[in-house]
Amino acid sequence: GAGVSQSPSNKVTEKGKDVELRCDPISGHTALYWYRQSLGQGLEFLIYFQGNSAPDKSGLPSDRFSAERTGGSVSTLTIQRTQQEDSAVYLCASSLFYRSTEAFFGQGTRLTVV
Amino acid sequence: QKEVEQDPGPLSVPEGAIVSLNCTYSNSAFQYFMWYRQYSRKGPELLMYTYSSGNKEDGRFTAQVDKSSKYISLFIRDSQPSDSATYLCAMALNNNDMRFGAGTRLTVKP
């Protein structure tokens, strides 16, 4: 596709349920990032992929969070046993390796845990 | 201390004003410095980037980097209502690893 695509755009889930968020990066982009944006908190780095490997998982807030990327393309962020504090907009971005200064963002998935 | 500090505002200015947005950082290894603009309910989009120290100008926008002070700025001249958005600074090492500031919400009033 022409841009980074994220699905679903909105997700409401009950506390304790698992959710999967999907990111389709721009074709050919080897770097992929997940961020979380909470109201008034700015962008919080979660995890970064180079190809299918994740050199930096330091931003994942707890072991309830995991992410994978397959085929150097699609990535899924999974949150297990969701809590209300997980409510936020989850943003995915991708970039070409050699132009790492420009990351293209999707529109995000707005997650609400009730 | 956060790696990147940015005043979240909000900042409200009249149309035509000069806007100054700033970030400080702690990691002297950062080499790439970016400013992203995010409109409501949209993903951030790259506005400007600078490598190492110096100034960069693009139309009404000027980005400045002072590595000795670990301080970066974005200036917007002749601000317009369409500039109303959240502005996020970002910094990167050489390995694709970006760190963002919290973002400053700007409103330009007609």
Side-chain angles (χ1 to χ4, degrees):
Chain A
V4 177
S5 177
Q6 290 186 249
S7 61
S9 55
N10 284 283
K11 176 72 175 179
V12 180
T13 190
E14 291 181 352
K15 178 181 174 181
K17 299 283 189 183
D18 297 351
V19 294
E20 272 193 3
L21 311 180
R22 178 186 169 105
C23 173
D24 281 276
I26 293 173
S27 178
H29 281 194
T30 60
L32 185 148
Y33 310 78
W34 282 99
Y35 292 88
R36 179 167 70 176
Q37 189 172 34
S38 304
L39 190 62
Q41 297 297 315
L43 262 67
E44 176 188 3
F45 170 77
L46 298 179
I47 190 170
Y48 146 66
F49 287 92
Q50 181 61 37
N52 291 335
S53 64
D56 188 351
K57 303 179 182 179
S58 63
L60 294 176
S62 76
D63 58 8
R64 295 187 296 105
F65 287 72
S66 63
E68 65 175 12
R69 188 179 185 194
T70 56
S73 180
V74 173
S75 176
T76 54
L77 177 69
T78 302
I79 309 173
Q80 295 177 310
R81 306 181 301 282
T82 51
Q83 304 294 312
Q84 287 187 330
E85 61 263 29
D86 298 334
S87 297
V89 176
Y90 288 82
L91 287 160
C92 174
S94 70
S95 68
L96 285 170
F97 180 80
Y98 68 92
R99 288 199 64 191
S100 62
T101 52
E102 181 162 13
F104 295 85
F105 282 83
Q107 293 202 352
T109 294
R110 186 174 296 273
L111 176 66
T112 305
V113 182
V114 298
Chain B
Q1 181 189 11
K2 289 183 180 178
E3 273 191 296
V4 181
E5 297 277 2
Q6 183 176 10
D7 185 342
L11 181 62
S12 181
V13 301
E15 183 175 356
I18 297 174
V19 177
S20 174
L21 305 167
N22 311 293
C23 289
T24 58
Y25 62 96
S26 58
N27 188 345
S28 59
F30 286 133
Q31 293 289 332
Y32 297 92
F33 303 90
M34 287 77 73
W35 286 95
Y36 281 79
R37 179 174 60 196
Q38 185 178 23
Y39 292 113
S40 180
R41 295 188 174 267
K42 299 287 187 182
E45 55 182 357
L46 182 68
L47 190 59
M48 296 187 72
Y49 85 90
T50 307
Y51 174 72
S52 194
S53 285
N55 295 358
K56 188 169 185 177
E57 188 173 322
D58 184 1
R60 296 184 294 111
F61 298 87
T62 299
Q64 289 185 350
V65 174
D66 182 349
K67 291 191 73 178
S68 62
S69 301
K70 299 194 186 101
Y71 186 89
I72 71 169
S73 301
L74 178 71
F75 298 96
I76 307 174
R77 291 183 299 280
D78 186 26
S79 56
Q80 303 295 308
S82 59
D83 295 329
S84 297
T86 296
Y87 290 81
L88 302 113
C89 63
M91 300 164 196
L93 307 175
N94 290 326
N95 61 353
N96 292 338
D97 186 7
M98 289 188 293
R99 294 287 186 259
F100 281 84
T104 300
R105 181 171 293 183
L106 171 68
T107 301
V108 181
K109 295 184 175 180

